[in-house]
Amino acid sequence: QVQLVESGGGTVQPGGSLRLSCTVSGVIFSINVMGWYREAPGKEREWVAAITGRGAATYSDSVRGRFTISRDNAKNAVYLQMNMLEPEDTAVYYCNTYQGSNWNLFVWPWGPGTQVAVSS
């Protein structure tokens, strides 16, 4: 059974930084493409970033250049370094597998997420 546990959220001022972590159990982590997603109040959950088992990363237009996704296969963990945070980044952030544009059809059970709030 896949289990995902996100951590590292908090409240920061605009322009600040946070580093999110996600630990994964119940799957062979290293062969899975992993992604970060977020759900803002009143909005649908959206994909933010993804990383292959070998470390190739892709980003949504809204975070490219500000966020960096990384992973440690030895620790079954994926990370999201978020810099230059904006109020629009306020959301609950989740990790999960990423299977392309139809990702919502192929995700594992969601973890609890971690709340990020960007406010002055």
Side-chain angles (χ1 to χ4, degrees):
Q1 182 177 354
V2 181
Q3 289 191 323
L4 308 166
V5 180
E6 302 89 352
S7 62
T11 300
V12 297
Q13 294 185 342
S17 298
L18 282 173
R19 185 177 188 246
L20 307 183
S21 300
C22 171
T23 57
V24 183
S25 60
V27 293
I28 303 174
F29 178 76
S30 61
I31 65 173
N32 281 281
V33 179
M34 292 298 301
W36 280 97
Y37 304 82
R38 66 186 181 187
E39 185 170 336
K43 295 186 177 181
E44 292 186 350
R45 194 167 300 185
E46 65 174 352
W47 168 74
V48 172
I51 186 167
T52 68
R54 294 188 176 186
T58 58
Y59 301 92
S60 68
D61 290 343
S62 61
V63 306
R64 187 177 295 112
R66 301 188 297 122
F67 291 10
T68 302
I69 188 172
S70 61
R71 65 191 293 162
D72 185 336
N73 289 336
K75 296 182 178 179
N76 281 18
V78 60
Y79 309 99
L80 188 67
Q81 177 66 45
M82 305 187 296
N83 298 329
M84 296 183 288
L85 283 161
E86 304 169 351
E88 293 74 21
D89 297 317
T90 295
V92 179
Y93 283 72
Y94 304 86
C95 69
N96 211 308
T97 187
Y98 178 73
Q99 301 296 333
S101 58
N102 291 322
W103 56 265
N104 56 315
L105 301 178
F106 304 106
V107 290
W108 301 322
W110 295 97
T114 186
Q115 175 72 56
V116 171
V118 184
S119 174
S120 56

